[in-house]
Amino acid sequence: MACNPELSALISKTLKLDKAVWLKDLTKLEGLLPFAEDKAFREEWAAIKQRNKERLAHHVQVTLGLTVNTNAMFDVQIKVGCGL
């Protein structure tokens, strides 16, 4: 998850697993379930999401000249060509 290093770090810290481990076996992410209602974990997760939204909004502003409301819900889809 090179695109989201902060979130990767939080997941690795919480699971006490190296990123390479849980990226190869996504069932390891089930280990996050006990933290779903943990206030500190949820706050850190939300803060990371907000910082990422702000980074994206800045990029959109600089590259496209558009202002994005970072309090809105974002739905971003990135498609990579398959060479067809």
Side-chain angles (χ1 to χ4, degrees):
M1 288 182 36
C3 63
N4 200 337
E6 277 192 273
L7 187 57
S8 294
L10 175 61
I11 292 169
S12 292
K13 178 180 81 171
T14 304
L15 294 176
K16 296 180 174 61
L17 292 172
D18 188 78
K19 178 173 73 170
V21 173
W22 58 263
L23 277 176
K24 290 181 183 173
D25 182 1
L26 297 179
T27 63
K28 300 283 187 197
L29 295 176
E30 292 175 350
L32 295 174
L33 289 173
F35 298 91
E37 300 303 322
D38 180 274
K39 184 179 184 209
F41 176 81
R42 290 169 58 109
E43 286 175 352
E44 192 168 355
W45 185 282
I48 291 168
K49 285 179 59 173
Q50 185 61 34
R51 284 191 294 275
N52 286 335
K53 287 168 81 173
E54 290 167 5
R55 275 187 22 228
L56 177 58
H58 176 74
H59 178 74
V60 169
Q61 174 67 41
V62 169
T63 59
L64 302 174
L66 301 172
T67 301
V68 177
N69 180 354
T70 58
N71 293 316
M73 182 181 291
F74 284 24
D75 182 12
V76 177
Q77 297 181 20
I78 299 172
K79 304 205 184 223
V80 178
C82 61
L84 295 176

